[in-house]
Amino acid sequence: MSTGTLLAIIIPIVVVIALVAVAASLLVRRRKLRERFGPEYERTVENADTRMAGERELRAREKRHDSLDIKPLDTSVRDRYARDWTSVQETFVDHPEDAVHDADRLVTSLMDERGYPTQDFEQQLKDLSVEHGRTLEHYRAAHEVDELSVRHQATTEQLRGAMVHYRALFEELLSDGGQARHARA
């Protein structure tokens, strides 16, 4: 065979192998993002212009999250938060709206204590999504009811549901679920 014929065979084969490797790499990266973000993966991709843009957003969240100083809680701090949560739950019986507001403040305080920025709710969601993507929908639902209750438009059942939702994220943050990736070597 001539050199030209060999090149005509080898070059397409190398190109096909390279394309397969790139496609496999993209699929692996997509699978890892889906596993990491859970339902937040689909939500982000659906809200983006393209799947690639959504995945780029998720990778940017990971990068930002890695730059945060997320830390576990000392046992004494964890115990204090657990007592505070019990107190908030006890308040619910007589003052459900106040309890929901207190639960929101307590979750925000706990986030701050762990090292999450807490100034902007949308940014909170993005930062939490990296390690708490599976409980993030709880936080959204609870926050929505909290906003309704500020206007005294939430039913007692909605308020009760908000407490359950807040508790899901609160317990995960309290138990150090989803510690910073660089701390998990």
Side-chain angles (χ1 to χ4, degrees):
M1 260 190 216
S2 72
T3 304
T5 306
L6 280 174
L7 288 175
I9 294 171
I10 293 173
I11 290 175
I13 290 173
V14 169
V15 169
V16 168
I17 290 172
L19 289 174
V20 168
V22 167
S25 172
L26 289 173
L27 289 174
V28 166
R29 192 169 13 174
R30 179 171 293 157
R31 183 181 50 80
K32 285 181 180 179
L33 285 172
R34 275 192 171 136
E35 288 172 2
R36 174 143 207 189
F37 286 91
E40 190 65 15
Y41 173 88
E42 293 301 329
R43 179 186 200 80
T44 303
V45 167
E46 285 175 15
N47 291 331
D49 293 335
T50 65
R51 178 176 297 278
M52 296 268 293
E55 290 176 352
R56 197 170 29 255
E57 160 69 20
L58 294 172
R59 286 191 301 278
R61 290 182 191 185
E62 285 179 320
K63 187 174 181 178
R64 174 180 159 81
H65 185 274
D66 286 347
S67 73
L68 300 175
D69 184 23
I70 308 300
K71 54 196 169 285
L73 300 172
D74 291 333
T75 303
S76 62
V77 174
R78 187 178 301 122
D79 292 345
R80 178 176 47 87
Y81 274 103
R83 284 189 306 273
D84 290 348
W85 181 260
T86 300
S87 176
V88 167
Q89 284 185 287
E90 290 169 356
T91 304
F92 184 84
V93 174
D94 294 324
H95 305 285
E97 283 184 342
D98 293 341
V100 169
H101 300 315
D102 291 345
D104 182 72
R105 283 190 291 274
L106 189 59
V107 166
T108 302
S109 175
L110 179 55
M111 288 170 48
D112 184 57
E113 186 94 31
R114 291 287 314 276
Y116 287 98
T118 57
Q119 296 78 17
D120 173 47
F121 181 70
E122 289 303 317
Q123 188 61 52
Q124 285 177 10
L125 292 173
K126 290 177 182 179
D127 291 339
L128 286 169
S129 72
V130 177
E131 295 294 337
H132 304 283
R134 297 191 191 313
T135 55
L136 203 55
E137 204 51 45
H138 288 288
Y139 190 37
R140 278 190 181 96
H143 188 75
E144 185 178 307
V145 173
D146 184 45
E147 289 180 341
L148 282 174
S149 72
V150 167
R151 297 184 305 271
H152 305 292
Q153 296 176 339
T155 67
T156 302
E157 194 54 38
Q158 287 173 314
L159 294 167
R160 188 180 336 279
M163 291 297 291
V164 170
H165 290 308
Y166 276 126
R167 185 176 58 224
L169 179 59
F170 178 83
E171 288 177 349
E172 188 169 304
L173 287 167
L174 192 65
S175 69
D176 295 331
Q179 294 179 19
R181 288 191 312 157
H182 57 275
R184 280 194 259 148

